[in-house]
Amino acid sequence: MSAQPQVFLRQLYDAAVLRALPLHNTAAYLPNPPKGRTVVLGAGKAGGAMAQAVEALWPADKPLSGLVVTRYHHIPPRPAGLPERIEVVEASHPVPDAAGLAAAERILELTQGLTENDLVLCLISGGGSALLTLPAEGLTLEDKQRINRDLLNSGANIGEMNCVRKHLSRIKGGRLAAACAPAQVVTLTISDVPGDDPSVIASGPTVADRTTCADAWAILQRYKIEVPAAVEAALKAGTLETPKPSAQWDKQPVHMIATPQQSLDAAAELARAADLNAYVLSDELEGESREVGKVHAALARAAAHGKGPFQKPCVILSGGETTVTIRKQPEGTPKGRGGRAGEFCLGLAVALQAQEGVWAIAADTDGIDGIEDNAGAAVSPDTLARAEAQGLKPANCLDRNDAYGFFSAVGDLVITGPTHTNVNDFRAMLVL
């Protein structure tokens, strides 16, 4: 390995992102043009890049139109000479806004008048739940925004959050595909969820849903999240139920064009090319970010001491989607900032105890950790010493969920800007 440790870790992250870019993964899954029209509908953080990939690969003499919604500032620069055939609009993530509502209404309108000769190509990636917001009967946009914030702060995992979102929507949980009948629906999706379940990615707008109203109500109760009385009654009565699996859904193919495992494997391949042992723990780790950080620290410390299953020099990789539970603070306490990658790194740094020979990076593959401007953070053997020199107490920052403030102060934020894809968290520890 010729590069400096943190430079090399960033190269691993870049390799993971590159493997998940839509243009590299779309061609093999595109269906043949139909007799009638091809309408492209989609939502997600990778939506702009996915639309451009389809525009570049679709036959120039075949009709192509549609609408895709992505996160603000996530439309990639248009390649020179590529005609714009699919409209891409922007909206808010992770809390929905009026622009997302308007986009979802327009997308649903575009399903009207389709025939059996038409093809609907759906482009779905992580982030689509917030971007494709169409509240169920009895809910306002303000209700959805509050419920979304409460879910994000509750510590609920992505499957739980999206179960609720499906049942409080008029477009998620298979409803978009149902609205496209009798047209053929083909979905291309990029996974950002543990287990790569397409019914969970962006709350599965084109996938039949196995969860129920009762499941959604149980989750709301578990995390003490309030909903309007009319919605509570509708959930209990089952009137907000989603389309369920049947033989008909087998005729609507869903293709996973990029996954977290593929990206982790790409990083592992680069590590092995640098004469390092490479280990992929899992692509679907979940749990409280700081606690997952502690577990990773234990593995890295063992490897540094020549113990355990991992032989140094090595890289230990993992993916998945951890969670952050926002701790209540005393009145007047400064509000913390940061996402799950940063909180993982802060928990990791504390538990590593300035272990010599261990460096790490954790960053979201979409380039945005939560709602901040960083993708994640980096950890070095001298992280705690540099923090102490500035009077920073890591435990206090953890208590306030202020990983951003901590790593900003020590100069270890990882800032990439939007990457135009999204295969969830990327974590790598380098043990030399």
Side-chain angles (χ1 to χ4, degrees), residues 149-205:
R149 287 191 191 97
D150 290 347
L151 283 167
L152 289 166
N153 292 339
S154 70
N157 66 38
I158 189 64
E160 292 172 321
M161 287 194 285
N162 285 359
C163 172
V164 172
R165 288 163 167 167
K166 290 178 197 180
H167 289 89
L168 302 187
S169 171
R170 287 184 284 130
I171 197 168
K172 302 185 183 84
R175 292 184 177 93
L176 176 58
C180 293
Q184 170 73 62
V185 177
V186 175
T187 301
L188 306 186
T189 188
I190 293 177
S191 175
D192 74 324
V193 302
D196 302 333
D197 183 348
S199 72
V200 177
I201 302 166
S203 298

Side-chain angles (χ1 to χ4, degrees), residues 116-127:
E116 61 272 11
N117 292 324
D118 298 326
L119 167 69
V120 179
L121 190 59
C122 289
L123 309 179
I124 304 298
S125 61

Side-chain angles (χ1 to χ4, degrees), residues 281-296:
L281 293 179
S282 172
D283 69 335
E284 50 182 300
L285 290 181
E286 296 182 271
E288 195 70 21
S289 292
R290 63 182 70 191
E291 300 302 325
V292 176
K294 290 179 185 177
V295 173
H296 279 63

Side-chain angles (χ1 to χ4, degrees), residues 241-273:
E241 202 51 88
T242 47
K244 300 305 172 202
S246 68
Q248 187 64 30
W249 287 91
D250 296 337
K251 302 174 184 177
Q252 312 285 22
V254 177
H255 300 296
M256 201 77 61
I257 70 169
T259 68
Q261 185 66 49
Q262 291 170 349
S263 287
L264 291 171
D265 288 343
E269 185 177 345
L270 180 60
R272 291 179 186 121

Side-chain angles (χ1 to χ4, degrees), residues 18-390:
L18 183 65
R19 177 61 181 83
L21 290 177
L23 191 58
H24 301 164
N25 299 290
T26 299
Y29 300 102
L30 282 179
N32 293 323
K35 293 180 182 177
R37 297 183 297 145
T38 298
V39 178
V40 177
L41 306 175
K45 297 175 190 174
M50 295 179 83
Q52 286 186 7
V54 172
E55 289 172 326
L57 296 166
W58 200 253
D61 60 341
K62 298 296 182 181
L64 185 70
S65 63
L67 176 64
V68 171
V69 58
T70 192
R71 185 176 182 165
Y72 290 121
H73 313 302
H74 277 59
I75 299 177
R78 177 163 290 276
L82 181 65
E84 184 175 352
R85 304 162 76 182
I86 303 165
E87 183 182 358
V88 181
V89 298
E90 297 177 322
S92 175
H93 178 279
V95 177
D97 67 356
L101 176 60
E105 288 174 336
R106 288 183 59 201
I107 285 172
L108 206 55
E109 287 170 4
L110 289 173
T111 66
Q112 302 302 305
L114 294 168
T115 74
E116 61 272 11
N117 292 324
D118 298 326
L119 167 69
V120 179
L121 190 59
C122 289
L123 309 179
I124 304 298
S125 61
S129 287
L131 297 165
L132 200 65
T133 187
L134 202 56
E137 193 72 30
L139 279 175
T140 65
L141 175 60
E142 290 74 21
D143 290 328
K144 286 294 288 286
Q145 290 171 327
R146 177 188 58 76
I147 293 166
N148 224 52
R149 287 191 191 97
D150 290 347
L151 283 167
L152 289 166
N153 292 339
S154 70
N157 66 38
I158 189 64
E160 292 172 321
M161 287 194 285
N162 285 359
C163 172
V164 172
R165 288 163 167 167
K166 290 178 197 180
H167 289 89
L168 302 187
S169 171
R170 287 184 284 130
I171 197 168
K172 302 185 183 84
R175 292 184 177 93
L176 176 58
C180 293
Q184 170 73 62
V185 177
V186 175
T187 301
L188 306 186
T189 188
I190 293 177
S191 175
D192 74 324
V193 302
D196 302 333
D197 183 348
S199 72
V200 177
I201 302 166
S203 298
T206 61
V207 183
D209 179 33
R210 291 182 173 84
T211 69
T212 65
C213 283
D215 294 330
W217 175 240
I219 292 163
L220 290 166
Q221 287 184 300
R222 184 178 310 140
Y223 294 103
K224 299 179 174 58
I225 296 172
E226 296 181 0
V227 294
V231 174
E232 177 183 336
L235 286 172
K236 289 178 176 178
T239 55
L240 296 179
E241 202 51 88
T242 47
K244 300 305 172 202
S246 68
Q248 187 64 30
W249 287 91
D250 296 337
K251 302 174 184 177
Q252 312 285 22
V254 177
H255 300 296
M256 201 77 61
I257 70 169
T259 68
Q261 185 66 49
Q262 291 170 349
S263 287
L264 291 171
D265 288 343
E269 185 177 345
L270 180 60
R272 291 179 186 121
D275 294 324
L276 297 169
N277 296 314
Y279 307 98
V280 177
L281 293 179
S282 172
D283 69 335
E284 50 182 300
L285 290 181
E286 296 182 271
E288 195 70 21
S289 292
R290 63 182 70 191
E291 300 302 325
V292 176
K294 290 179 185 177
V295 173
H296 279 63
L299 296 173
R301 283 174 58 83
H305 295 138
K307 301 176 182 178
F310 308 129
Q311 293 186 337
K312 66 176 184 179
C314 68
V315 169
I316 303 169
L317 299 155
S318 73
E321 181 161 347
T322 57
T323 53
V324 173
T325 302
I326 304 300
R327 269 68 175 169
K328 289 185 178 180
Q329 301 296 324
E331 191 79 23
T333 303
K335 185 179 180 182
R337 299 170 63 191
R340 57 182 186 260
E343 184 142 329
F344 165 89
C345 283
L346 190 47
L348 177 75
V350 171
L352 278 173
Q353 304 170 40
Q355 174 64 54
E356 291 184 6
V358 177
W359 293 260
I361 186 175
D364 199 307
T365 52
D366 68 1
I368 305 295
D369 188 21
I371 59 173
E372 305 300 339
D373 59 1
N374 66 313
V379 175
S380 300
D382 64 347
T383 293
L384 296 183
R386 286 185 284 120
E388 185 178 358
Q390 297 196 41

